[in-house]
Amino acid sequence: MTMSYYTLGNSGLRVSRLALGTMTFGTEWGWGADRDTARAMFDAYVEAGGNFFDTADLYTGGTAETWLGEFVAERGLRDKAVIATKFTMNSNPGNPNAGGNGRKNIMRAVDASLKRLGTDYIDLYLMHIWDRLTPAEEVLRTLDDLVRAGKIRQIGLSDVPAWYAGRAQAIAELRGYEPISALQLEYSLAERAIEHEFVPFGTRHGAGIMVWSPLASGLLSGKYRPAQAGNAGRLDGFRNTTHPGFQKFSEHNWAVVAELEKVAAELGRGMAQVALNWVATQPGVATVILGATRLSQLQDNLAALDFSIPPALRQRLDKVSGTPAPFPHSYFGPEIQVRVAGGVVTGDKPSGYALPVVVEGEAVAISSN
């Protein structure tokens, strides 16, 4: 495949459309990849042209960051690699300040991540999850201080309410802090809630969406079936979990899986490739994080952008995966809005008003030979 690169949000950071997730680097959680497999997946991703790596201090107790840093160093890729990592989670029970989004924990966490990664700067540093306590002003000021200190380059938010993201970006703009360049959020054919708030926010206010769980924890790969009796994969181990990220077995999602299988067959592609292609080409999406435990899985996923989904097939996927718009978004469709516009065609800008910037073609020669 040929990897292409686009800027992340309103930043000048160029990232590949497919990112390599490292939550599977290590077996400390009872599943994941051993070191040799993780290294093979890293090499395959780099050789395919990928440059964007996602990790977190939480992942496999620090093993993911450590291995990623070692793999990058062994191949001398630090200047080429774009490394994103995250803070918030607590790995020190009994110490409330060893987690959360307060200044004390952020300063502790960034130094710990830098040490594990074996680098003196992080390209993108993200808040892992809203802690419901820390003022956004404190988070933004601390992250801006880290940018000014040279420890991080860009900042982002993961798993936050849309109102919080909007407030944080407004604070950054008002006070001259480093703006939010990325939003890391769950998005797939089985989970489309971000379309109502986050996609409009990201596209209008400069935050590119980094998609996690684009295959709905493997549900969209086709390995799970409604009547299946377990042991198909990791999701089976979470059938009775209270973790919201793993509650994927529902009548709605089984309908999505069934239609996805049909569309994939018509395209002559695997279900996972079609699901990844759909999410990667949705509005507001900057990059899609690939998570695999086997080299063959990653290699298959890396081919997800080698084709296009025809409009008619895409419409079928949109229809089966869609859910009714929640209030107040049900008032923002044409049924109500045409009354606001007086029944005439009214829009933001004409089609083609602003053409996308894409740099491609042959480089000019600088030698007379």
Side-chain angles (χ1 to χ4, degrees), residues 19-244:
L20 181 63
T22 66
M23 191 170 73
T24 59
F25 281 21
T27 58
E28 286 83 350
W29 290 350
W31 48 269
D34 59 26
R35 184 183 175 87
D36 289 342
T37 302
R39 178 58 192 265
M41 291 192 294
F42 174 90
D43 288 339
Y45 175 73
V46 170
E47 288 158 12
N51 76 336
F52 199 12
F53 303 90
D54 178 76
T55 188
D57 57 1
L58 166 75
Y59 295 166
T60 53
T63 296
E65 282 188 328
T66 300
W67 287 3
L68 176 60
E70 291 172 353
F71 298 162
V72 169
E74 288 168 6
R75 293 192 55 155
L77 295 176
R78 187 62 194 95
D79 285 342
K80 181 178 180 180
V82 177
I83 296 176
T85 192
K86 299 179 281 293
F87 65 90
T88 297
M89 298 302 185
N90 195 316
S91 59
N92 185 4
N95 180 4
N97 285 310
N101 302 321
R103 187 178 185 90
K104 182 177 179 67
N105 183 55
I106 295 175
M107 301 299 281
R108 177 207 62 79
V110 71
D111 286 338
S113 286
L114 288 169
K115 183 177 181 180
R116 282 189 292 268
L117 287 164
T119 184
D120 57 4
Y121 72 96
I122 293 164
D123 296 286
L124 175 66
Y125 201 42
L126 301 108
M127 188 175 87
H128 206 155
I129 187 171
W130 181 44
D131 67 6
R132 302 179 61 189
L133 295 170
T134 310
E137 291 87 346
E138 181 175 343
V139 176
L140 270 292
R141 174 58 191 269
T142 305
L143 293 176
D144 186 68
D145 285 347
L146 291 177
V147 171
R148 294 172 187 269
K151 292 187 177 184
I152 64 177
R153 299 292 191 258
Q154 258 82 36
I155 68 172
L157 301 173
S158 174
D159 303 339
V160 299
W163 68 261
Y164 183 97
R167 175 167 174 76
Q169 194 71 306
I171 291 169
E173 293 172 355
L174 178 65
R175 301 191 177 183
Y177 295 161
E178 181 67 25
I180 297 162
S181 299
L183 295 170
Q184 190 169 131
L185 302 162
E186 181 177 7
Y187 189 36
S188 71
L189 281 165
E191 178 50 77
R192 296 179 57 180
I194 70 167
E195 294 175 359
H196 301 295
E197 296 278 355
F198 290 99
V199 171
F201 165 75
T203 55
R204 295 179 187 181
H205 299 288
I209 294 173
M210 300 171 63
V211 173
W212 64 264
S213 198
L215 297 180
S217 298
L219 179 72
L220 302 177
S221 68
K223 68 172 67 174
Y224 302 97
R225 302 295 171 177
Q228 196 170 36
N231 299 320
R234 176 160 53 103
L235 264 183
D236 285 314
F238 292 96
R239 284 181 182 268
N240 298 316
T241 185
T242 58
H243 193 304

